Amino acid sequence: MLYTERYEDYSLPGGGLEEGEDKIEGMIRELSEETGALEVRNIKPFGIYEEYRPWHKPGFDIQHMISYCYTCEINTELGDSKMEHYEIKNGMTAKWVNIYEAIAHNKKTMLESTKKGMSIERETFLLELLAERMY
């Protein structure tokens, strides 16, 4: 998982696709860049999460996001991450964390924090769905 200090939340690795990039290739690239994941394997589709939310860039009011979600296996030992500048600035770090602890942490952040980010509801929903289907 990724912990972001600025928003006090846990999230799943992810990001946008590059021009012409296949969804699976993009998932592997983002997972590797953000966590240093090695030997990504046993990739399975998990679902699609679609959302509309306010957008702050000039000329746009709404952002339409479609998140393609996958499960996979990786080595427990991680390589070096290649975080982008804004991810480093936000204090994003890869951490092994119990999924139930991450869910509880995010729920507390949603209730109590003034710093919560815009994606915490999506991430917490997906974590709860993953936890439900894992056990």
Side-chain angles (χ1 to χ4, degrees):
M1 302 250 256
L2 296 168
Y3 181 77
T4 304
E5 188 176 321
R6 177 180 179 185
Y7 302 120
E8 299 176 342
D9 67 6
Y10 285 99
S11 62
L12 299 163
L17 293 172
E18 295 178 355
E19 186 71 33
E21 188 174 40
D22 173 82
K23 291 178 189 84
I24 300 289
E25 291 171 359
M27 185 275 297
I28 293 169
R29 177 185 51 75
E30 286 287 348
L31 181 59
S32 177
E33 286 175 0
E34 293 182 350
T35 69
L38 301 171
E39 295 185 36
V40 180
R41 60 197 177 278
N42 198 18
I43 300 165
K44 296 179 184 172
F46 183 73
I48 297 171
Y49 189 97
E50 186 172 15
E51 63 188 304
Y52 293 87
R53 60 186 189 191
W55 192 238
H56 59 277
K57 294 198 176 179
F60 298 94
D61 296 343
I62 301 290
Q63 179 184 34
H64 178 211
M65 287 182 55
I66 302 173
S67 300
Y68 298 91
C69 307
Y70 300 89
T71 60
C72 65
E73 296 174 13
I74 62 172
N75 290 358
T76 54
E77 186 176 326
L78 300 174
D80 294 328
S81 63
K82 297 178 183 107
M83 298 271 186
E84 294 187 46
H85 175 72
Y86 76 93
E87 293 167 330
I88 295 167
K89 185 178 174 186
N90 288 341
M92 187 180 280
T93 54
K95 294 186 177 194
W96 288 109
V97 62
N98 177 288
I99 194 167
Y100 298 105
E101 290 174 22
I103 292 166
H105 177 92
N106 280 4
K107 285 183 171 186
K108 185 174 192 274
T109 295
M110 286 190 282
L111 288 173
E112 298 175 3
S113 179
T114 58
K115 299 181 353 178
K116 76 174 194 160
M118 292 178 67
S119 62
I120 193 169
E121 286 88 359
R122 177 194 64 225
E123 296 298 314
T124 305
F125 172 82
L126 290 170
L127 290 172
E128 289 179 317
L129 197 56
L130 276 167
E132 177 185 304
R133 293 191 183 170
M134 284 175 22
Y135 301 104

